Amino acid sequence: MAEAPEDVRGAVPARASGATADDHDASPRTRHGRAAERVPDPVRARRQEHLREHNLSVTLAHVVDATSPPSRAQIAASTGLARGTVTGLVDVLIEAGLVRELDPVAAARAGRPAVPLAPAPGRIAGVGMEVNVDYLGVRAVDLAGGVLAECVEQVDLRGADPGDVLDRLAALAGPLLAGLQADGVRVAGTALALPGLVDRVTGPLRVAPNLGWRDVDVVARLAADPVLAAFPPRVANEANLAARAEAHARRGAEAPSFLYVSGEVGVGGALVLDGEIFLGRHGWSGEIGHVVVDGSAPDGPGTLERLAGQDAIAAAAGLPAGSRFADLLAAVEADDAAAVAAVRAAARWLGLAVATVANVVDVGAVVLGGTFGQLYRHVEEPVREALDAHVIFAPWSTLDVSRARAGEYPAMTGGALAVLRQVVAEPSVWLTPTP
């Protein structure tokens, strides 16, 4: 919708020569006599502000989410906004450094060339951080989706003291944030991915079994850092943030819906519906690693994580305790019989767990990320076979199975994207350009 023009009704013409103030009172008249002097209407002003913010957000979202750079005319056609309104909104976003113009493209028919629009790179960044079982890291991503800076440290964090680990993370993040600011990049905020149950947005972390953490106030600890105090993180489950990055990578004419499975030392999952993460009441949905797939295990319930996590696969492959995933991957690629058999067995357990979820939520697509994505060539067939055998609706609607596209460390990317969505939702906060 176009912004409403100013109300000009009731304007009073200029006084004729010699007229008195009594003859031409400046106050507007009503059928009940002279009205009180007009005063600003705060409700109408707020409504106009909300409308403008909404239109700015819609326009910026169309530019940021586009798979190919749109023109002003295309945005107007897609949103239903007037062409003149879109032009004005785009000009504001360009001046603020949120959007840039690309080289004009010749029109197919006679007329002015279209000017494609794209998110401005290197101006505003979201910062995604992650603590996982065998690494921690920080990544800065701009509105254009480019990685501006990152730092990853490979380290075994099982059983490590939470305070020590979070101090170590802050030591990585601090210089990266300071470097961005020194380069004139505005930091929109930070988000932290954790491998466990996290209460929505602010935490605390309730439990991270593979780290051995329980009821940790992560935000309070990080906010005590001199640099991170200005950017206290939002916190979320690592699989949920990885799935957000995957949904962004798969964006298109239709918002994607799929079950995302993240294989690491643990096994996480997330349900994406129309491009958004289904979090559940507490933000705890997607814990597919704790689905019991073998109730006959002699030493307790056989959960997916116990049977198909990295450590379980490495042990079944006969690799020494503490082996890296790279060692398992090398053995599989060398067609080591024990390693290949271990991976295929894990894939069958994975297929059974995914089938259980599919039967409950009627999901139509499955995306394999993390270790399962790297082992995709070896796990795809067993997973498909399990789905065909155990999903009740498979004869009428086969589940699509595919490898993740979001790249390495997707949870850090997803954290950065979650921060940048707030910029898109409230662009007026960022309209003052960088000095």
Side-chain angles (χ1 to χ4, degrees), residues 91-413:
D91 289 346
V92 169
L93 294 171
I94 290 174
E95 183 179 0
L98 301 178
V99 169
R100 63 175 176 141
E101 293 182 321
L102 304 180
D103 292 336
V105 176
R109 294 177 294 180
R112 297 173 58 184
V115 179
L117 303 167
R123 304 295 293 274
I124 294 179
V127 175
M129 305 183 292
E130 183 176 5
V131 173
N132 216 309
V133 178
D134 51 357
Y135 65 90
L136 48 82
V138 186
R139 172 177 285 168
V141 178
D142 63 18
L143 276 173
V147 176
L148 302 182
E150 70 174 23
C151 183
V152 177
E153 183 178 326
Q154 304 291 337
V155 56
D156 188 349
L157 298 175
R158 277 170 277 209
D161 178 74
D164 292 343
V165 173
L166 294 174
D167 288 346
R168 199 165 181 168
L169 178 66
L172 288 181
L176 184 143
L177 289 165
L180 291 172
Q181 293 176 301
D183 291 339
V185 179
R186 292 185 286 176
V187 178
T190 66
L192 173 60
L194 295 167
L197 293 183
V198 181
D199 272 353
R200 286 174 177 267
V201 183
T202 59
L205 170 73
R206 290 304 181 189
V207 61
N210 292 311
L211 288 174
W213 294 7
R214 191 178 189 89
D215 291 324
V216 180
D217 192 346
V218 174
V219 175
R221 181 74 182 209
L222 290 176
D225 179 81
V227 176
L228 284 174
F231 307 103
R234 300 159 56 93
V235 292
N237 174 265
E238 62 87 16
N240 286 340
L241 289 179
R244 181 175 292 278
E246 187 65 24
H248 184 75
R250 291 172 178 261
R251 70 194 186 280
E254 293 185 8
S257 296
F258 54 89
L259 172 65
Y260 178 83
V261 182
S262 172
E264 303 290 346
V265 172
V267 180
L271 186 60
V272 178
L273 300 174
D274 296 329
E276 294 297 328
I277 313 300
F278 175 76
L279 296 174
R281 186 162 62 97
H282 299 94
W284 299 343
S285 70
E287 290 294 334
I288 192 173
H290 297 279
V291 171
V292 176
V293 291
D294 183 8
S296 64
D299 53 348
T303 63
L304 177 62
E305 191 166 286
R306 286 185 58 196
L307 296 171
Q310 281 184 19
D311 290 347
I313 300 174
L319 296 178
S323 295
R324 301 171 304 156
F325 175 70
D327 299 327
L328 173 64
L329 191 61
V332 172
E333 293 303 318
D335 288 328
D336 178 86
V340 171
V343 168
R344 290 183 66 84
R348 286 191 287 271
W349 293 123
L350 173 62
L352 185 59
V354 170
T356 300
V357 175
N359 283 327
V360 173
V361 300
D362 187 21
V363 68
V366 179
V367 176
L368 302 181
T371 56
F372 299 129
Q374 294 181 67
L375 293 166
Y376 185 78
R377 183 167 64 90
H378 301 277
V379 303
E380 178 192 10
E381 182 182 353
V383 168
R384 289 185 185 276
E385 290 174 350
L387 295 177
D388 289 342
H390 298 292
V391 174
I392 190 170
F393 56 79
W396 300 275
S397 179
T398 303
L399 273 74
D400 178 68
V401 180
S402 61
R403 186 201 307 251
R405 304 174 187 172
E408 196 173 16
Y409 305 119
M412 283 189 274
T413 297

